[in-house]
Amino acid sequence: MRNTQIYSEILSNIIAGEKLLAILIDPEKFNVSTTKHFLSRIPKQTTHLFLGGSTVPELLMDKLIDSLKIHTQLPLIIFPGSASQISEKANALLFLSLLSGDNPDYLIGQQKAGAAQLVGSSLEVISTGYLLIDGGNESAVARVTNTKPMSQSNIDEIVHTALAAELMGAKCIYLEAGSGAKTMVSAQIIAAVKKVLTIPLIVGGGIRTETQQYLAYNAGADILVMGTIFEK
């Protein structure tokens, strides 16, 4: 039976009323010689580290994980841009399906490639419905996957897509405005999606301030993801 420790802890924290914060690290933009300094700068309330990017050269993920493990006990969760970013050295993997787009490679193609690597693996896998939401600029995700983000004005479509993901077996829903987004996913969207879900809701993209964090948490986000603000 595959390990479920990280996901079980997330559920327990949510039931206890805790709000979780993940810091996203892009291996391609990260200098491992600065790992200790970087970790000293992230918020003390950080609960998880998400690792990944739209394009990550081979072996960079393993090098990043090795460096992080020296300096932190925080759970290391891969947030992959492709199957090539999967690493057995991490604690868990968000097994993403990009449901907001119609590119079959990111609906099932990359997933088949990832599954081939996970045969016999002990890596914890968390099935995640991934929805790209318009954040006001062209994101790396949209560019690499050749898909369009969902309009923030079409709340019903976003809600129905998120619910469909849960009904198909997703363990989490991830609403993503994109790295460096000008506009975060609106509180109205977060609240509407949370209302129909029984699984954890992850929200990321364009979140830079404490006010934005408060708005997202208050609307129903269980896990917030921040990244770009800490890259410099």
Side-chain angles (χ1 to χ4, degrees):
M1 183 177 294
R2 193 175 292 277
N3 183 23
T4 60
Q5 179 182 347
I6 301 296
Y7 185 69
S8 295
E9 290 174 352
I10 289 173
L11 292 179
S12 295
N13 289 332
I14 292 172
I15 291 171
E18 298 179 27
K19 295 298 186 179
L20 308 178
L21 175 64
I23 300 302
L24 174 61
I25 303 174
D26 186 338
E28 192 172 18
K29 300 177 181 178
F30 192 80
N31 184 340
V32 294
S33 68
T34 67
T35 299
K36 185 175 181 179
H37 175 66
F38 174 86
L39 292 170
S40 72
R41 293 174 53 240
I42 65 175
K44 293 182 180 179
Q45 64 267 34
T46 300
T47 57
H48 301 81
L49 296 178
F50 282 5
L51 317 175
S54 296
T55 57
V56 177
E58 191 175 358
L59 301 181
L60 279 189
M61 183 66 78
D62 283 350
K63 291 180 180 179
L64 173 60
I65 294 173
D66 286 340
S67 180
L68 288 169
K69 283 185 173 180
I70 294 172
H71 300 288
T72 184
Q73 296 297 313
L74 289 171
L76 307 178
I77 302 177
I78 298 175
F79 170 46
S82 68
S84 65
Q85 295 176 30
I86 295 175
S87 171
E88 286 287 330
K89 295 186 176 186
N91 299 113
L93 164 72
L94 296 183
F95 199 77
L96 305 174
S97 184
L98 182 60
L99 300 175
S100 57
D102 56 4
N103 185 338
D105 191 38
Y106 291 91
L107 284 168
I108 189 60
Q110 290 293 326
Q111 292 75 11
K112 290 190 292 185
Q117 297 181 54
L118 294 167
V119 173
S121 168
S122 60
L123 182 64
E124 180 173 347
V125 176
I126 303 172
S127 176
T128 303
Y130 187 48
L131 281 66
L132 182 61
I133 312 297
D134 187 3
N137 59 1
E138 184 185 31
S139 67
V141 176
R143 187 167 58 252
V144 170
T145 64
N146 194 29
T147 62
K148 293 182 179 180
M150 304 179 79
S151 170
Q152 296 215 29
S153 65
N154 199 339
I155 297 177
D156 284 346
E157 182 182 10
I158 295 171
V159 168
H160 296 158
T161 304
L163 180 56
E166 177 176 352
L167 295 176
M168 289 190 294
K171 293 181 178 180
C172 290
I173 298 298
Y174 195 140
L175 302 180
E176 167 74 280
S179 178
K182 295 180 181 178
T183 306
M184 62 177 279
V185 178
S186 74
Q188 187 178 5
I189 291 172
I190 296 170
V193 170
K194 183 62 178 179
K195 186 176 180 180
V196 303
L197 296 181
T198 63
I199 56 177
L201 177 59
I202 306 170
V203 178
I207 300 172
R208 300 176 180 86
T209 69
E210 289 186 2
T211 298
Q212 289 174 318
Q213 291 179 56
Y214 171 80
L215 289 172
Y217 281 136
N218 193 54
D222 297 304
I223 304 174
L224 289 188
V225 182
M226 300 176 67
T228 303
I229 191 172
F230 299 107
E231 287 178 354
K232 296 181 181 180

